[in-house]
Amino acid sequence: MFFWKTWKALQAQGVMGINRRNADYVLKYNKRHLYPVVDDKILTKERAIAAGINVPEMYGIIDTEKDIDKFDSIVAPYSDFVVKPAQGAGGDGILVIADRYEGRYRTVSGKIISHEEIEHHISSILSGLYSLGGHRDRVLIEYRVTPDEIFKSISYEGVPDIRIICLMGYPVMGMLRLPTRQSGGKANLHQGAIGVGVDLATGLTLKGTWLNNIINKHPDTTNPVEGVQLPDWNGFMTLAASCYELSGLGYIGVDLVLDQDKGPLILELNARPGLNIQIANDTGLTARCHLVEHHLAALKKAGKTETVDERVAFSQLHFGAQLNAEPSDTQPSPEPA
Ligand SMILES: Nc1ncnc2c1ncn2[C@@H]1O[C@H](COP(=O)(O)OP(=O)(O)O)[C@@H](O)[C@H]1O
Ligand SMILES: [Mg+2]
């Protein structure tokens, strides 16, 4: 039986609301001067590369109108690629080109677009149409991720991504986001993608949420979204946890993808990760965050810090979910000795 709870009822279970997220986590743990690293995807990529973390390869950057004619030479060696606003959000302004067709381009959802249309799109990105606050922006052209075969049956076109929220480098909640026909190949929930909870201990998927309803089948492929084992789950957890060192930000949403050839890659980091992940997991963030905070306080008292692997082990020990478990009455478990 699936059911929909009101936000109020969820709050009673320790679901984090936007005010608490902003005051107790975003403002407290994320220093303002570090925001540019995550709010600009080009900077994030440069940071990740410097830290030895895999990301989709950057093919080129266009930062002025007069550089728009560099586009042809940037993409000449590739038949597929992605054009995106460096400071975009929510999947807006992203063009995923899958193929070429008689001098034109074919997007992942099959739309044919002309060269002029791409140039116009690039010009719109530069003018700030998709950037946070409408500021002038840069255009990033990068490797197109081909999703791992595992996602074929539960995804419609495009690339699913895995969002892991980390507090001080401890993964606290995860969600697999699956593109649908409606989301145009993008894995953003407000474009119409599905969010599916993930058991942090095992990487097994839980139930899904689509357009604010709990679902158990993908609407386009009709395959169940629950009980799918994500491959290399420890690899994902480790990558996500290591983004604390990379960014210096204490409360982030790490977006990862699994490329058929290159394995787990970091797509982007978010300093104000959304709260819908709680609906997908049927569990609140508050209790999990409190447990990490208690643990950190205990470590501090003992003059200790933990490595990435120790942090991942802590999260896997405490934030696993039993498949088909009763909805969260999650209480912080007692601190380990
Ligand atoms: N290099 C890529 N290859 C294939 N799909 C991509 C690529 N980059 C982004 N996408 C798709 O677009 C979605 C949004 O991309 P992302 O970089 O996270 O930007 P945003 O900040 O707008 O969410 C991703 O979840 C993925 O589905
Ligand atoms: Mg994203």
Side-chain angles (χ1 to χ4, degrees):
M1 283 293 287
F2 300 106
F3 49 89
W4 166 246
K5 292 185 202 116
T6 62
W7 195 255
K8 268 225 149 1
L10 284 167
Q11 254 172 335
Q13 288 183 190
V15 165
M16 193 185 287
I18 195 139
N19 293 335
R20 183 193 286 265
R21 182 201 67 180
N22 291 345
D24 293 353
Y25 294 94
V26 174
L27 284 172
K28 182 168 171 194
Y29 289 102
N30 294 344
K31 295 197 185 86
R32 275 209 82 78
H33 75 276
L34 297 171
Y35 276 40
V37 175
V38 294
D39 284 347
D40 185 308
K41 295 183 170 68
I42 297 171
L43 298 182
T44 312
K45 217 183 259 296
E46 288 167 353
R47 264 307 165 89
I49 293 167
I53 288 177
N54 291 339
V55 290
E57 184 190 341
M58 182 150 68
Y59 292 160
I61 298 172
I62 295 176
D63 51 14
T64 58
E65 293 280 335
K66 73 175 179 12
D67 280 352
I68 294 181
D69 48 12
K70 281 191 192 158
F71 175 74
D72 278 340
S73 58
I74 293 174
V75 301
Y78 314 103
S79 60
D80 60 340
F81 53 86
V82 173
V83 177
K84 65 168 80 162
Q87 297 182 45
D92 288 335
I94 298 181
L95 263 185
V96 183
I97 303 296
D99 202 0
R100 297 186 187 229
Y101 177 75
E102 299 199 347
R104 292 167 186 246
Y105 303 93
R106 194 199 308 267
T107 70
V108 70
S109 35
K111 194 173 163 212
I112 305 289
I113 46 180
S114 67
H115 198 263
E116 291 68 40
E117 283 171 300
I118 292 213
E119 288 195 348
H120 182 76
H121 185 72
I122 291 175
S123 168
S124 301
I125 294 177
L126 290 175
S127 73
L129 189 62
Y130 305 104
S131 71
L132 302 160
H135 300 297
R136 272 195 70 78
D137 199 359
R138 296 190 286 170
V139 178
L140 164 62
I141 300 159
E142 70 180 12
Y143 170 83
R144 177 173 77 109
V145 173
T146 308
D148 191 275
E149 285 285 314
I150 177 101
F151 297 119
K152 273 253 159 68
S153 67
I154 49 163
S155 180
Y156 186 85
E157 292 165 354
V159 182
D161 69 15
I162 293 161
R163 153 71 56 93
I164 299 180
I165 294 187
C166 295
L167 176 60
M168 299 303 284
Y170 291 80
V172 287
M173 206 171 275
M175 162 170 72
L176 169 68
R177 298 185 298 188
L178 302 168
T180 61
R181 185 191 292 264
Q182 184 165 339
S183 75
K186 285 170 248 175
N188 301 83
L189 297 189
H190 32 265
Q191 305 273 351
I194 300 174
V196 183
V198 180
D199 179 343
L200 286 194
T202 59
L204 269 174
T205 59
L206 308 168
K207 288 177 187 118
T209 164
W210 189 44
L211 309 172
N212 280 343
N213 290 303
I214 306 260
I215 53 152
N216 59 351
K217 284 183 185 155
H218 192 288
D220 303 313
T221 73
T222 70
N223 288 312
V225 296
E226 186 177 359
V228 177
Q229 175 65 61
L230 300 178
D232 197 7
W233 183 242
N234 277 0
F236 279 111
M237 290 285 278
T238 307
L239 262 185
S242 58
C243 286
Y244 173 52
E245 278 78 7
L246 181 163
S247 67
L249 292 163
Y251 188 75
I252 47 172
V254 180
D255 290 354
L256 307 122
V257 289
L258 184 59
D259 185 77
Q260 187 180 272
D261 303 315
K262 315 214 177 246
L265 304 173
I266 295 217
L267 208 50
E268 65 155 341
L269 308 179
N270 292 275
R272 310 161 201 80
L275 296 159
N276 278 354
I277 191 168
Q278 301 172 106
I279 299 174
N281 282 275
D282 201 18
T283 296
L285 278 162
T286 310
R288 294 189 178 192
C289 287
H290 283 165
L291 185 59
V292 170
E293 289 174 307
H294 287 146
H295 180 65
L296 285 169
L299 284 173
K300 194 172 175 194
K301 227 171 159 185
K304 287 188 192 150
T305 55
E306 289 191 318
T307 63
V308 171
D309 288 345
E310 287 168 330
R311 300 197 306 249
V312 168
F314 176 89
S315 296
Q316 292 190 317
L317 180 66
H318 292 281
F319 305 138
Q322 291 285 316
L323 206 60
N324 297 324
E326 280 305 300
S328 55
D329 46 355
T330 329
Q331 294 294 326
S333 28
E335 201 56 18

